[in-house]
Amino acid sequence: MSVYVIVAAGGQGTRLGGETPKQWLPLGARPMLGHTLSACAAAPDVAGLVVVVPESDIARAEQLCASLDLPCGWRVVAGGARRQDSVANGAAALPPEASVVLVHDAARPFVTVDVIRRVADAARDHGAAIAAVPVHDTVKRVEDAGERRWSLGSVPREELFLAQTPQGFRRDVFDEVVALGHRAEDATDEATLAERAGHRVEVVAGEPGNVKVTTAHDYVEAVRRVHGKSPGPLDATAVARPRLRIGVGYDSHGFDVTRALKLGGITVPDAPGLSGHSDGDAVCHAVTDAVLGAANLGDIGGLFPDTDPAWKDADSLALLREAYARVRAAGYAVENLDVVVVCRRPKIGPIAPSIRERLASALHCAPGAISIKGKTPEATPALADALVVHAVALLTDG
Ligand code: MG
């Protein structure tokens, strides 16, 4: 068996942000593509690599291949407009003796010799094979209803696998795949074309670690894997930096002993309530203003005016949920929240865990992302008859 691997690095994929196509992002001392090529070349059955890159990257890719001291032959060719065009260009560079052809994504740098061997053996024996991993999470079919999504029920996952690369083909099958690719609509992978050509594609075990580096998070994880536990400084220009937004909220309410105390979405027994048009929940109000302010979406008074009878005695946690839906629609999510409650009573420490839970549920974040601290108004008698809240929220795009 003479196995050749076409490494598809034709994409200009800059979804990670920055100007650098992902295959050129550094992972340790080498670009991602260098890891992928070394990993493919390490498989004993692999006799050669065909690296497909954009025309403008050919010299750079040749330099990289030369520097890697690969234990097999290699060639670099220019890619095409679509994935299947790039693969066809790679196919044209295969030597006649290539009896099994694997296609592998440049953005899967952690492929192992075992996975390559399994795919190559199955392709040799059965014509076509892909590496894939089973789906472990419960899978939901979802209806997208604009602002919200609704679950339509679970999809049986026993039949569901996530396709990885390499995908492998006996040479005769691969030639059919390439021919079909010339005239077919865009195909997301080569196995799809083999299936369309009427071939059965064997599914062999992939590996969870054989990830495709697609998002900035994937990239940071990949850097960690390469560096071990202590990642070195990242190339800040290469990684998409999250958009960070900070917001501050403030509220103060006087006490109203005729009302129950609502604070951070919970009812606090044996404590005087707070005055106000809504339920008087000053923690929710300050947090609402912090998250709205961070996203520059106005403030609670503008969204829910206290002149509007609709908000009389309103549940302030529901108002926070409503405001946060707007923050999410603007593309942001809470990273963390810090809240200070200045009051003589109630004592905040004992009720802080419950408040954190309630706020976390409204903000779809972990309770650990929320801090609540109590302060007594020492030496500020004017604050003795009020409850004052300061909140600072950090949002990221997510
Ligand atoms: Mg208020």
Side-chain angles (χ1 to χ4, degrees):
M1 173 166 65
S2 176
V3 179
Y4 278 71
V5 185
I6 296 176
V7 177
Q12 294 286 6
T14 51
R15 262 185 293 178
L16 293 183
E19 298 296 308
T20 311
K22 58 187 175 185
Q23 60 267 25
W24 293 108
L25 291 176
L27 280 183
R30 288 180 274 164
M32 189 186 308
L33 178 60
H35 290 267
T36 307
L37 297 176
S38 293
C40 290
D45 290 331
V46 171
L49 307 179
V50 178
V51 188
V52 188
V53 297
E55 180 93 51
S56 55
D57 285 340
I58 286 182
R60 189 181 185 189
E62 286 178 339
Q63 216 172 12
L64 174 65
C65 287
S67 74
L68 292 173
D69 202 13
L70 296 169
C72 66
W74 53 268
R75 280 190 67 182
V76 178
V77 301
R82 303 172 302 168
R83 179 185 172 93
Q84 62 240 56
D85 301 326
S86 292
V87 169
N89 290 0
L94 291 170
E97 69 269 19
S99 59
V100 168
V101 182
L102 308 188
V103 180
H104 186 63
D105 294 327
R108 292 188 191 269
F110 301 115
V111 66
T112 62
V113 168
D114 286 345
V115 172
I116 292 171
R117 181 181 297 135
R118 280 198 287 272
V119 173
D121 287 351
R124 176 196 60 204
D125 294 343
H126 302 118
I130 59 170
V133 289
V135 173
H136 294 298
D137 292 332
T138 298
V139 179
K140 297 290 187 187
R141 190 179 304 284
V142 168
E143 175 192 13
D144 195 340
E147 207 167 295
R148 293 175 207 285
R149 297 189 180 97
W150 302 97
S151 171
L152 298 176
S154 299
V155 179
R157 65 185 168 205
E158 295 72 22
E159 294 183 354
L160 297 179
F161 281 71
L162 301 173
Q164 301 185 334
T165 67
Q167 305 198 339
F169 309 90
R170 210 172 49 220
R171 182 63 181 270
D172 57 307
V173 176
F174 186 65
D175 290 342
E176 276 186 65
V177 163
V178 171
L180 185 57
H182 278 305
R183 49 182 201 274
E185 303 279 294
D186 288 11
T188 53
D189 69 356
E190 290 62 49
T192 304
L193 293 168
E195 288 155 4
R196 278 193 217 159
H199 294 285
R200 278 165 69 77
V201 176
E202 185 175 359
V203 176
V204 302
E207 287 175 358
N210 181 24
V211 291
K212 185 171 186 178
V213 178
T214 306
T215 64
H217 174 79
D218 299 334
Y219 176 55
V220 170
E221 287 300 309
V223 170
R224 288 216 170 93
R225 271 176 80 170
V226 169
H227 281 280
K229 282 200 183 307
S230 54
L234 296 180
D235 179 349
T237 58
V239 186
R241 272 168 287 188
R243 291 181 302 163
L244 297 175
R245 310 269 310 201
I246 196 164
V248 61
Y250 167 87
D251 200 18
S252 67
H253 284 237
F255 289 104
D256 177 347
V257 294
T258 67
R259 304 181 87 188
L261 176 61
K262 287 294 290 289
L263 211 55
I266 67 167
T267 303
V268 184
D270 304 323
L274 295 170
S275 59
H277 182 68
S278 66
D279 61 7
D281 188 333
V283 166
C284 282
H285 297 173
V287 170
T288 301
D289 266 357
V291 297
L292 287 173
N296 202 8
L297 290 172
D299 67 2
I300 189 170
L303 282 190
F304 314 109
D306 62 8
T307 51
D308 186 336
W311 313 121
K312 176 147 177 53
D313 298 323
D315 173 359
S316 297
L317 193 73
L319 304 186
L320 173 58
R321 284 184 201 279
E322 175 70 31
Y324 191 59
R326 295 173 190 234
V327 171
R328 294 291 294 131
Y332 295 104
V334 163
E335 178 69 21
N336 78 303
L337 176 69
D338 192 16
V339 180
V340 184
V341 184
V342 185
C343 61
R344 281 231 164 101
R345 60 218 159 136
K347 282 209 169 311
I348 299 303
I351 59 175
S354 309
I355 293 177
R356 290 168 69 202
E357 293 279 345
R358 296 293 280 167
L359 292 178
S361 77
L363 297 172
H364 308 295
C365 66
I370 298 176
S371 146
I372 309 277
K373 311 184 294 290
K375 286 277 172 194
T376 50
E378 309 274 0
T380 42
L383 291 181
D385 295 323
L387 183 144
V388 172
V389 182
H390 300 270
V392 173
L394 185 69
L395 306 182
T396 58
D397 48 352

